[in-house]
């Protein structure tokens, strides 16, 4: 390219490039489209002629060292319907003007590494690849509806306000990544509704200052282990991996930023789909993590891994994966919102050390299904999940359900014991339900009292002291044997021999066992917190 003339653009510009130069100075739109949808689709098969082509080096010259604007106007690049030939390389540069490129085709990759922008908007563009490591924008970065053939790299990028990639399509690069954004920081929202990624989406250590929305997104990585790899992700508000409502009428192409809607009952919607593993280990989320309507398609060995995440609210109300595992081990949440049909079956759920303080089930989630949920997470017996569930139920005023959970814990433990201890466990379960139903122990004591009274009513033993003994009373004698500590003046006054001595000893032993059980059960009822 020849040097810029003193009073105008370079001498070797084409007519199309000269028009772009003039619109840049005037701050107006350079529209090279035909107004025919099929002809203007940058992702279609229609050929674009020389009348729509501009060189990438001319675009770079405008953005890095462009001319002064027309007096009274603000210079900016607003380009539509153009085919940008060659590689657009702005690496390491500073781009002061506002940039908006819509419905354009790029022949070569876009190099933005360590480039500084005010605001950059690429909307509905076809790009071979975007290389933007350590990109810095003061305002937004918009890539709505773009299709990127070999992925985008935003490693350690700094976005001053919002990142918008809604409805964009990203294919994988030569490392299998569709979006590589490790260490990226976005000051406000990340809007990625209905995005499609065919390769790994890597967000390791990324930080988002407000919310991050992947509603209706489709993440697919048949080439590797994970579709979304985002350990230590920090989102100050909510992470949405949910369904999205679809508009009943065609959206306005001129408004690509507000197409997404909240799903309505019975209305059309698109689910969040993840085909491949998902990892959010050690993530921090200020408001909630929402999986409403999410669908997972995992292979054996792949996981929805949520180890050690922390969030006030965790909404796990998607569809249970048919294969793979869900892992919430070590996670800490305040409110758990879930469905019974959202969790996988035995051997495919792990929640060791999973801490939650409140349960808010959606739909029918009876205690029996909740116990199945705990059992599914403990192929080998572990008391902690049972005790956590019982504690949460007790704190919520569900004392009877809490006792049922603890009984289930003892029954589960019983299966791991040797035969003798297992037999003793069955006896405890059948008689007093491991002490969690003291009323049954009191009933057994009443039955034993009646049996003892009937037994001793037909046998009056000799007194130990002929001239000093109370009047014989079979009912009081049986009760005195059964009740430990309390002395009713009958036991120890009569000479019991032979089989009667064994009967008396049995009543004493059973009385101690049952009385201890009643006392323990009563103390549990009186103790709260």
């Amino acid at each position: 390219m020849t040097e810029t003339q003193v009073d105008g653009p370079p001498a070797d510009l084409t007519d199309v490039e000269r028009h772009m130069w003039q619109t840049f100075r005037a701050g107006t739109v350079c529209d090279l489209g035909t107004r025919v949808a099929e002809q203007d689709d940058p992702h279609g098969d229609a050929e674009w002629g020389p009348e729509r082509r501009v060189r990438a080096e001319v675009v770079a010259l405008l953005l890095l060292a462009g001319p002064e604007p027309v007096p009274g106007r603000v210079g900016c690049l607003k380009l539509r319907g153009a085919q940008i030939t060659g590689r657009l390389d702005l690496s390491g540069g500073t781009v002061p003007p506002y940039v908006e490129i819509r419905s354009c085709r790029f022949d070569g990759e876009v190099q933005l590494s360590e480039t500084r922008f005010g605001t950059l908007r690429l909307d509905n563009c076809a790009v071979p690849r975007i290389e933007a490591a350590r990109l810095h924008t003061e305002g937004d970065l918009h890539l709505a509806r773009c299709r990127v053939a070999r992925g985008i790299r935003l490693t350690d990028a700094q976005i001053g306000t919002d990142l918008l990639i809604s409805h964009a399509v990203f294919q994988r690069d030569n490392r299998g990544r569709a979006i590589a954004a490790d260490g990226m920081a976005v000051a406000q929202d990340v809007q990625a509704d209905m995005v499609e990624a065919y390769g790994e989406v890597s967000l390791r250590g990324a930080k988002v200052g407000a919310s991050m929305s992947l509603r209706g997104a489709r993440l697919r990585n048949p080439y590797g282990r994970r579709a979304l790899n985002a350990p230590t992700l920090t989102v100050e508000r909510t992470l949405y991996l949910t369904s999205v409502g679809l508009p009943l009428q065609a959206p306005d192409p001129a408004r690509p930023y507000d197409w997404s809607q909240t799903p309505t009952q019975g209305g059309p919607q698109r689910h969040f789909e993840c085909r491949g593993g998902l990892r959010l280990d050690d993530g921090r989320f200020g408001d909630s993590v929402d999986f409403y309507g999410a669908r997972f398609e995992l292979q054996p060995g792949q996981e929805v891994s949520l180890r050690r995440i922390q969030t006030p609210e965790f909404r796990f109300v998607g569809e249970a994966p048919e294969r793979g595992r869900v892992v919430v081990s070590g996670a800490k949440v305040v409110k758990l919102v879930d469905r019974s049909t959202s969790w996988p079956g035995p051997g495919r759920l792990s929640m060791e050390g999973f801490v939650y303080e409140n349960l808010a089930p959606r739909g029918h989630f009876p205690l029996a299904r909740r116990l199945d949920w705990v059992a599914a997470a403990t192929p080998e017996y572990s008391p902690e999940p049972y005790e956590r569930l019982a504690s949460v139920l007790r704190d919520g005023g569900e004392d009877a359900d809490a006792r049922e959970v603890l009984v289930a814990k003892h029954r589960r433990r019983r299966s791991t014991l040797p035969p003798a201890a297992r037999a003793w466990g069955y006896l405890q379960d059948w008689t007093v339900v491991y002490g969690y139903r003291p009323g049954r122990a009191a009933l057994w004591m009443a039955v034993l009292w009646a049996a003892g009274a009937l037994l001793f009513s037909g046998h009056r033993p000799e007194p130990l002291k002929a001239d000093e003994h109370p009047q014989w009373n079979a009912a009081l004698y049986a009760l005195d044997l059964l009740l430990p500590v309390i002395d009713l003046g009958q036991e120890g006054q009569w000479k019991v021999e032979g089989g009667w001595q064994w009967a008396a000893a049995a009543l004493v032993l059973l009385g101690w066992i049952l009385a201890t059980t009643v006392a323990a059960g009563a103390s549990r009822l009186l103790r709260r917190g």
Side-chain angles (χ1 to χ4, degrees):
M1 183 182 295
T2 60
E3 295 183 359
T4 305
Q5 295 179 354
V6 177
D7 297 325
D12 62 345
L13 295 187
T14 66
D15 291 342
V16 176
E17 292 169 346
R18 194 175 300 276
H19 175 55
M20 179 178 65
W21 194 278
Q22 293 169 350
T23 58
F24 177 90
R25 294 190 65 207
T28 57
V29 178
C30 178
D31 191 349
L32 305 180
T34 64
R35 307 291 181 180
V36 178
E38 293 78 8
Q39 294 293 325
D40 290 340
D41 183 5
H43 316 295
D45 298 326
E47 292 288 339
W48 289 5
E51 72 282 358
R52 303 183 67 166
R53 295 174 186 164
V54 296
R55 288 171 289 173
E57 56 186 294
V58 178
V59 175
L61 179 62
L62 278 175
L63 296 179
L64 297 175
E68 292 294 324
V70 173
R73 308 302 294 268
V74 176
C76 62
L77 179 64
K78 296 181 179 180
L79 184 62
R80 296 182 183 178
Q83 181 170 344
I84 301 174
T85 61
R87 184 179 69 171
L88 179 59
D89 190 351
L90 304 173
S91 301
T94 298
V95 180
Y98 171 82
V99 181
E100 181 180 291
I101 301 176
R102 291 192 174 186
S103 301
C104 291
R105 290 176 178 172
F106 289 80
D107 287 351
E109 66 180 36
V110 177
Q111 288 278 352
L112 304 176
S113 298
E114 301 188 28
T115 308
R116 301 182 69 90
F117 283 90
T119 292
L120 173 61
R121 291 184 176 178
L122 300 181
D123 176 44
N124 194 34
C125 293
V127 190
R129 175 168 173 77
I130 300 176
E131 180 66 45
R134 298 173 296 282
L135 170 74
H136 188 284
T137 70
E138 297 294 334
D140 295 345
L141 173 61
H142 288 189
L143 301 169
R145 300 188 296 166
C146 287
R147 296 186 184 180
V148 185
R150 298 195 304 276
I152 180 173
R153 186 183 181 201
L154 288 167
T155 305
D156 297 319
Q158 303 285 323
I159 310 302
T161 49
D162 296 333
L163 171 63
L164 176 67
I165 57 174
S166 296
H167 301 266
V169 179
F170 299 94
Q171 302 291 340
R172 63 183 177 126
D173 60 14
N174 55 10
R175 299 181 62 186
R177 293 182 177 179
I179 301 175
D182 299 340
M184 178 183 67
V186 180
Q188 295 184 18
D189 292 321
V190 173
Q191 300 178 33
D193 296 341
M194 300 183 72
V195 71
E196 295 185 23
Y198 298 88
E200 182 180 287
V201 176
S202 184
L203 297 167
R204 295 180 297 177
K207 296 181 179 180
V208 179
S211 294
M212 182 173 183
S213 176
L214 285 90
R215 296 183 297 174
R218 291 177 176 171
L219 310 182
R220 300 170 180 175
N221 186 17
Y223 320 102
R225 184 177 179 184
R226 298 184 182 95
L228 176 59
N229 187 22
T232 66
L233 172 66
T234 299
V235 179
E236 294 296 332
R237 297 187 65 184
T238 299
L239 173 63
Y240 295 97
L241 304 174
T242 68
S243 298
V244 64
L246 299 178
L248 298 178
Q249 57 185 6
D252 183 0
R255 300 175 61 87
Y257 313 118
D258 55 2
W259 288 0
S260 302
Q261 301 178 4
T262 301
T264 57
Q265 187 69 28
Q269 58 182 283
R270 176 166 140 172
H271 294 272
F272 170 84
E273 295 181 0
C274 184
R275 298 185 181 180
L278 179 148
R279 182 167 70 150
L280 296 176
D281 296 351
D282 299 294
R284 300 293 182 266
F285 308 94
D287 286 347
S288 64
V289 178
D290 195 347
F291 282 88
Y292 176 81
R295 291 177 175 175
F296 300 99
E297 186 174 314
L298 307 177
Q299 299 300 320
Q302 293 180 339
E303 297 178 341
V304 176
S305 181
L306 306 168
R307 293 175 173 86
R308 299 175 299 278
I309 68 167
Q310 294 185 22
T311 180
E313 185 168 335
F314 178 40
R315 305 173 195 150
F316 198 74
V317 286
E319 299 180 8
E322 295 182 359
R323 294 182 296 273
R325 302 173 70 230
V326 174
V327 183
V328 290
S329 300
K332 294 182 179 180
V333 306
V334 177
K335 184 178 182 181
L336 174 60
V337 182
D338 61 349
R339 286 198 182 107
S340 62
T341 56
S342 297
W343 300 99
R348 298 193 297 114
L349 172 61
S350 178
M351 57 181 187
E352 182 179 357
F354 179 32
V355 177
Y356 51 95
E357 299 179 15
N358 300 297
L359 287 172
R362 295 282 182 89
H364 186 57
F365 207 149
L367 182 62
R369 295 293 298 274
R370 187 65 76 180
L371 289 174
D372 291 341
W373 172 65
V374 174
T378 52
E380 296 183 358
Y381 168 71
S382 174
E384 194 276 334
Y386 290 94
E387 292 169 358
R388 167 58 51 183
L389 177 57
S391 176
V392 171
L393 292 173
R394 188 183 302 112
D395 291 343
E398 303 291 338
D399 289 339
D401 286 349
R403 289 195 295 272
E404 288 295 329
V405 172
L406 294 174
V407 169
K409 180 190 76 169
H410 284 285
R411 289 171 177 167
R412 182 76 183 280
R413 177 177 178 270
R414 184 176 65 203
S415 64
T416 67
L417 299 175
R422 194 179 309 165
W424 174 244
Y426 276 112
L427 180 60
Q428 284 187 302
D429 193 357
W430 182 62
T431 55
V432 294
V433 194
Y434 291 98
Y436 289 100
R437 292 183 185 172
R440 182 179 293 188
L443 177 62
W444 275 108
M445 184 168 286
V447 170
L448 290 173
W449 180 28
L454 182 62
L455 178 66
F456 285 106
S457 64
H459 171 73
R460 183 183 185 280
E462 293 295 327
L464 291 176
K465 298 180 180 180
D467 56 347
E468 186 181 339
H469 62 83
Q471 184 178 356
W472 171 252
N473 187 313
L476 281 178
Y477 182 73
L479 186 60
D480 204 0
L481 292 173
L482 281 170
L483 293 178
V485 181
I486 301 175
D487 185 5
L488 300 179
Q490 290 287 331
E491 185 183 4
Q493 300 294 323
W494 308 96
K495 186 185 299 183
V496 182
E497 299 176 334
W500 300 104
Q501 190 175 20
W502 285 103
L507 285 177
V508 171
L509 180 61
L510 292 173
W512 271 102
I513 295 173
L514 293 175
T516 303
T517 302
V518 171
S523 67
R524 290 190 185 98
L525 290 176
L526 294 174
R527 186 174 63 248
R528 292 294 300 272

